[in-house]
Amino acid sequence: MASDTSAPTARSGALRTLPVVTYKYPQQGLPPISFSDYEPGPLPGGPWQLTVEPSEIERWARLFDDDPAEILAAGSAPPDILYYPGMNLPAPKRDYGGPMSRYWAEYLGPIPIGEPIELTGAVTEKFLRRGRGGMTFQLVARVGGEVVQRHWRRFALRLAEGEAEGWAERGSDPRPPEPSAGAEAFGPRLMACTQDRYDDFEGPGEVTGHTSLEAARAGGHAATTAQGALSFGLLTRLMRDRFGRRFTEDGTIDVRLVRPTYEGELLAARGAVLGERDGRLHCRIWAENRAGEPVTTGVASVRGAG
């Protein structure tokens, strides 16, 4: 399962199967996704089906310093394990051609282990911002017909000549609110940003600015950079550590990636309670580097108080 990087397959009368859960599909020599490749609407080829197996739990746990035995005993997968399936829905294309700038999700139910999960994908918005094309991809996961997760990934894509025509410019997203003095703080949860972790997260054979110093320098960086999913995965675990299943099965998270994280850094995920509103407890969350600079910032919520 985890090592199978073939394209989605379909059997007669069945959903197309995504054989890859915790890896990217290979680029297969194709050009990156461009701003003009998709219009808002459903992604072609779906719906899809996948099954999270124990081997994928073990891999995902290793990437984030979790205990796989605890996850398997609990009977449900970490909600962010559906990140790569969302990335892979446009296969055979999967190189997004630009950095991910925002990730937000509604975690609505447990992600089962060893049971089929149905996925649908869509492009939900396109716009212009500061000379790039913003494109947001959505994943919706269902188990037995019930939605257990929705998540969105926004990318800032380079624009080819003529691609901006007809699309509106959009301003910056609002900054997340700051906690008040004396607000309950929680964390930190730490992650060492090692090259081994970057390589493992990318998977075998990947040559990108995350795995190759030469590629990183070609992109204007002095060192390899962390995948954005590592920081929001760390923040997901920060919220899980504090609130448990209240977050993983009825929580929301909305983060923006504001600064690169370089190899050799130590990320610290932290949170602070903002207060209760509309029956939900809202938190400010962020991940910072050794210098105390935020690399990922946002908000999260859980149902109920305390």
Side-chain angles (χ1 to χ4, degrees), residues 27-301:
Q27 293 187 52
Q28 302 175 20
L30 295 172
I33 292 171
S34 72
F35 189 65
S36 58
D37 279 344
Y38 299 103
E39 298 302 316
L43 289 174
W48 297 264
Q49 180 176 284
L50 63 76
T51 303
V52 178
E53 301 291 357
S55 60
E56 283 129 7
I57 295 294
E58 292 170 3
R59 166 173 157 73
W60 206 245
R62 181 180 71 249
L63 289 168
F64 290 99
D65 301 325
D66 278 336
D67 182 347
E70 289 185 3
I71 297 172
L72 291 169
S76 59
D80 58 318
I81 204 168
L82 295 184
Y83 169 72
Y84 269 147
M87 291 281 285
N88 288 334
L89 292 189
K93 288 195 172 186
R94 70 101 184 112
D95 180 348
Y96 283 75
M100 184 169 64
S101 60
R102 182 180 174 191
Y103 170 90
W104 65 107
E106 299 170 348
Y107 299 146
L108 303 171
I111 305 300
I113 301 169
E115 298 179 26
I117 302 167
E118 180 182 318
L119 306 178
T120 54
V123 171
T124 59
E125 58 180 354
K126 291 176 66 173
F127 58 90
L128 307 180
R129 180 179 292 166
R130 295 194 291 272
R132 290 206 172 205
M135 187 182 296
T136 299
F137 292 82
Q138 180 194 56
L139 173 144
V140 179
R142 293 176 173 85
V143 176
E146 297 293 324
V147 176
V148 295
Q149 183 177 138
R150 299 184 186 94
H151 78 231
W152 296 261
R153 302 162 321 283
R154 179 183 293 168
F155 292 85
L157 305 181
R158 296 180 182 87
L159 294 170
E161 185 176 354
E163 281 191 312
E165 186 175 349
W167 295 99
E169 182 79 18
R170 182 185 294 183
S172 298
D173 296 320
R175 292 179 177 272
E178 295 292 337
S180 61
E184 177 201 339
F186 51 97
R189 177 156 176 143
L190 305 177
M191 174 184 285
C193 294
T194 65
Q195 191 60 58
D196 285 346
R197 194 187 302 270
Y198 294 0
D199 293 347
D200 196 1
F201 194 83
E202 284 292 278
E206 291 291 316
V207 180
T208 68
H210 306 308
T211 63
S212 162
L213 181 58
E214 182 179 350
R217 286 174 173 168
H221 299 288
T224 54
T225 60
Q227 296 89 342
L230 289 176
S231 62
F232 74 67
L234 187 64
L235 290 165
T236 293
R237 282 152 184 79
L238 175 79
M239 289 294 293
R240 180 204 62 193
D241 292 349
R242 173 60 180 83
F243 297 103
R245 290 195 174 193
R246 286 174 58 196
F247 175 69
T248 59
E249 297 180 12
D250 193 7
T252 68
I253 186 170
D254 184 353
V255 296
R256 291 153 179 83
L257 291 85
V258 298
R259 183 178 279 108
T261 301
Y262 294 108
E263 190 272 331
E265 272 290 356
L266 180 69
L267 278 187
R270 302 180 185 274
V273 174
L274 294 170
E276 188 177 358
R277 186 179 71 254
D278 300 326
R280 300 190 69 83
L281 190 71
H282 297 264
C283 301
R284 171 80 147 83
I285 54 173
W286 67 98
E288 62 188 26
N289 59 24
R290 279 194 179 94
E293 300 169 321
V295 301
T296 304
T297 66
V299 292
S301 75

